[in-house]
Amino acid sequence: MELKEQLLKLKMVMFGGKGGVGKTTCASSSAIWAAEHGRNTLIISTDPAHSLGDSLGQTLPPGIPTPVEGVENLTALEINPRANMTEFQGLSGMSPIEDMGIPGMGEMGMFSELQEFSSMNPPGIDEALAFAKVLEFIETDHDYDLIVFDTAPTGHTLRFLSLPETLSGWIGKILKLRLKLGKFFGSLKRLFKSEEKSETDSLELLEKLNTSIENARDDLKDPSINSFVVVMIPEEMAVAETGRLLNELIKYNINNSNIVVNQLFPENAELCDFCESRQSMQQKHLARIREIFGEKMGKNVIQVPLFKEEIREYPKLKEFSKKLIS
Ligand SMILES: Nc1ncnc2c1ncn2[C@@H]1O[C@H](COP(=O)(O)OP(=O)(O)OP(=O)(O)O)[C@@H](O)[C@H]1O
Ligand SMILES: [Mg+2]
């Protein structure tokens, strides 16, 4: 499916690739294009080093969906990787489980399970839980027709894509443990912050969160719902990294049919020796990209020229979208 059709038909389109290649620019201009073609669009940045606000030319308060000025039907959100931690109080503070001194737990054979759970608190759990909230949000009631993701450079994004699996594993284990330990496991009573919530309420919340995450996992893998657009530049290292990223997407079962080759020196421009030399280097790599990813793997290879100026704010993003989406 071509990018244009994806932006008109799918519920989610993700932009990803190596650092600095133009992911945010492609995501912002695609979101503007979709919004102007009648789709109520939300663009979400999952990159902790956000630049979505800079690209759109407006401040985006962390974690708050904000209407994009001057574009009807477009809302932008930079997720706050730490803000939601308090909601999950109890999860992060479970390491000193052995010290709880709950009588009878040893005999019940619970230690090994609790210890296993403690070891599942890897660094970055707060970020994982923030993603969980985003996944929960996209799976619950909202009015958006399309969600465009501006992702972080490859490695981080691959971790993000593996999160539904990881999170649902964690939550599944918490649920199992809670059911097993019942009232003994006092520290889990306040998994969600509000004290007035009863045990049953918080269990229900966890179960709901788990269902949302499982649905998100299925949606990310469904080509009629989501597709991943790989953005790259025509250079050797980018070709190698794109190959690895495509393999990972296949592993995660995430659809990809479009590859954007960005920042190509325009063909008919008058170029100095320096730029001509770079242009011929780019053309050599472009030919390989077209052969490997285009002909052999059957991807649409979208070529976008290097502009004279940087691409920021509405008029430039709109100009960019004319080259990206045709
Ligand atoms: N085709 C282009 N012509 C001119 N400038 C471009 C083009 N594409 C992107 N840029 C500029 O390159 C810079 C990097 O682009 P962008 O922020 O979209 O990359 P990114 O892949 O999102 O980077 P990061 O990995 O840091 O998130 C920006 O200043 C952007 O305006
Ligand atoms: Mg970016």
Side-chain angles (χ1 to χ4, degrees):
M1 207 190 279
E2 296 206 339
L3 178 58
K4 182 179 189 170
E5 208 181 338
Q6 290 181 342
L7 293 170
L8 292 173
K9 290 191 178 152
L10 300 185
K11 288 192 185 135
M12 293 188 248
V13 177
M14 312 179 104
F15 288 85
K18 206 167 155 3
V21 293
K23 300 176 293 296
T24 303
T25 309
C26 288
S28 304
S29 63
S30 296
I32 289 175
W33 186 91
E36 292 190 336
H37 282 75
R39 301 204 82 196
N40 189 15
T41 304
L42 172 69
I43 179 167
I44 301 181
S45 164
T46 64
D47 187 349
H50 294 295
S51 62
L52 182 58
D54 291 340
S55 172
L56 294 167
Q58 109 182 38
T59 308
L60 299 174
I64 300 170
T66 307
V68 175
E69 288 154 25
V71 190
E72 232 176 282
N73 289 330
L74 182 59
T75 306
L77 169 66
E78 288 183 343
I79 73 163
N80 184 342
R82 287 173 203 288
N84 300 317
M85 203 51 199
T86 48
E87 273 187 67
F88 296 90
Q89 262 187 359
L91 255 187
S92 61
M94 289 202 306
S95 299
I97 272 164
E98 302 92 310
D99 303 337
M100 285 164 64
I102 298 174
M105 265 181 38
E107 294 88 86
M108 287 164 70
M110 297 295 175
F111 277 133
S112 59
E113 280 185 63
L114 291 174
Q115 270 156 350
E116 188 196 341
F117 186 78
S118 307
S119 68
M120 290 192 303
N121 270 1
I125 189 171
D126 47 352
E127 191 179 6
L129 292 170
F131 278 141
K133 294 301 283 181
V134 173
L135 297 176
E136 183 181 36
F137 172 73
I138 62 179
E139 289 302 326
T140 45
D141 277 349
H142 59 70
D143 293 335
Y144 300 109
D145 305 318
L146 170 69
I147 301 178
V148 172
F149 286 89
D150 167 27
T151 73
T154 312
H156 189 271
T157 294
L158 290 174
R159 274 212 315 281
F160 170 57
L161 293 176
S162 68
L163 271 173
E165 219 69 64
T166 316
L167 281 165
S168 136
W170 285 346
I171 296 173
K173 291 217 167 188
I174 302 172
L175 285 169
K176 244 173 69 191
L177 265 177
R178 283 190 57 159
L179 288 171
K180 217 164 167 182
L181 289 168
K183 63 184 167 135
F184 278 113
F185 207 170
S187 82
L188 275 175
K189 272 191 189 142
R190 291 190 303 112
L191 194 55
F192 288 85
K193 198 187 173 191
S194 45
E195 305 226 2
E196 66 273 15
K197 287 236 178 294
S198 71
E199 179 81 350
T200 337
D201 280 349
S202 72
L203 260 177
E204 268 171 24
L205 280 176
L206 262 188
E207 272 159 5
K208 255 178 68 189
L209 180 66
N210 203 28
T211 308
S212 298
I213 288 166
E214 283 174 356
N215 290 342
R217 180 191 56 196
D218 297 343
D219 283 355
L220 290 175
K221 292 178 180 180
D222 183 342
S224 69
I225 293 180
N226 178 45
S227 190
F228 195 103
V229 178
V230 175
V231 186
M232 66 182 299
I233 49 171
E235 291 183 11
E236 181 68 42
M237 279 163 74
V239 176
E241 179 156 333
T242 299
R244 287 193 291 271
L245 174 56
L246 291 179
N247 279 336
E248 291 294 308
L249 292 175
I250 292 169
K251 202 175 95 191
Y252 287 118
N253 242 322
I254 290 176
N255 177 266
N256 158 263
S257 47
N258 290 292
I259 294 183
V260 178
V261 183
N262 190 20
Q263 303 186 17
L264 281 160
F265 278 91
E267 271 170 40
N268 299 320
E270 267 189 36
L271 299 178
C272 64
D273 288 352
F274 177 84
C275 294
E276 233 173 58
S277 153
R278 285 198 66 85
Q279 186 186 44
S280 79
M281 176 272 294
Q282 286 193 338
Q283 289 300 320
K284 193 182 89 197
H285 291 302
L286 178 64
R288 259 188 80 216
I289 291 166
R290 297 193 69 87
E291 189 198 326
I292 303 172
F293 303 132
E295 286 154 35
K296 289 203 182 126
M297 296 177 79
K299 314 284 183 194
N300 301 317
V301 176
I302 304 170
Q303 295 173 213
V304 178
L306 178 68
F307 285 66
K308 270 196 236 160
E309 305 90 11
E310 62 181 331
I311 315 293
R312 279 190 65 237
E313 303 189 357
Y314 180 81
K316 280 279 160 218
L317 288 168
K318 199 155 173 174
E319 206 182 318
F320 187 92
S321 75
K322 288 183 190 147
K323 302 287 181 189
L324 179 67
I325 306 149
S326 53

